[in-house]
Amino acid sequence: MKSEMKIKLFSYDHRLLDQSVRKIIRSSLDSGAKVKGPIPLPTKKEIFTICRSPHVNKTSREQFERRTHQRLIILVNTTDKTKENLKNIIIPSGVDIQITLK
């Protein structure tokens, strides 16, 4: 049974993300699936402002930011072998993965 699969990856570290994308693409090509991507999606940037000292130096503030990098991979003509190969890939703990089947 052939189908389409969309894989969306999220990470705070873009190097880990690109390393995981390479593993997924290599595994998918070995199983005979056609790969579209990786498509870089917009980076989500969150900025937090925290008061350093709430009493004397109330105007002294510190800012932190967190960037979430995203990639999209579309696999066409996937087979059962493709799914088995994807199950056996070891992805680092800093990368979140979302798989959608069509």
Side-chain angles (χ1 to χ4, degrees):
M1 183 173 130
K2 295 187 177 189
S3 62
E4 182 177 290
M5 187 182 298
K6 289 185 180 182
I7 303 173
K8 201 171 182 182
L9 295 118
F10 307 91
S11 180
Y12 298 132
D13 186 7
H14 65 91
R15 283 170 270 147
L16 274 179
L17 189 65
D18 292 335
Q19 180 184 5
S20 301
V21 165
R22 280 193 295 271
K23 283 183 183 179
I24 290 172
I25 289 175
R26 191 176 312 124
S27 172
S28 300
L29 289 175
D30 288 345
S31 67
K34 185 179 175 186
V35 178
K36 294 181 184 178
I39 302 165
L41 298 174
T43 302
K44 189 186 220 183
K45 186 175 167 183
E46 297 173 272
I47 298 175
F48 305 99
T49 304
I50 297 174
C51 208
R52 284 187 188 178
S53 171
H55 303 294
V56 180
N57 300 321
K58 198 165 195 132
T59 57
S60 175
R61 299 179 186 269
E62 197 168 2
Q63 286 191 327
F64 299 97
E65 92 175 11
R66 179 170 62 190
R67 293 177 185 227
T68 307
H69 302 278
Q70 304 175 33
R71 302 285 185 272
L72 176 68
I73 303 170
I74 301 172
L75 303 177
V76 184
N77 296 332
T78 60
T79 59
D80 291 333
K81 185 179 178 188
T82 308
K83 293 174 188 174
E84 280 298 316
N85 286 353
L86 289 176
K87 284 181 188 177
N88 295 330
I89 293 177
I90 298 171
I91 294 189
S93 61
V95 178
D96 188 26
I97 187 167
Q98 213 176 44
I99 300 176
T100 308
L101 298 172
K102 280 192 173 184

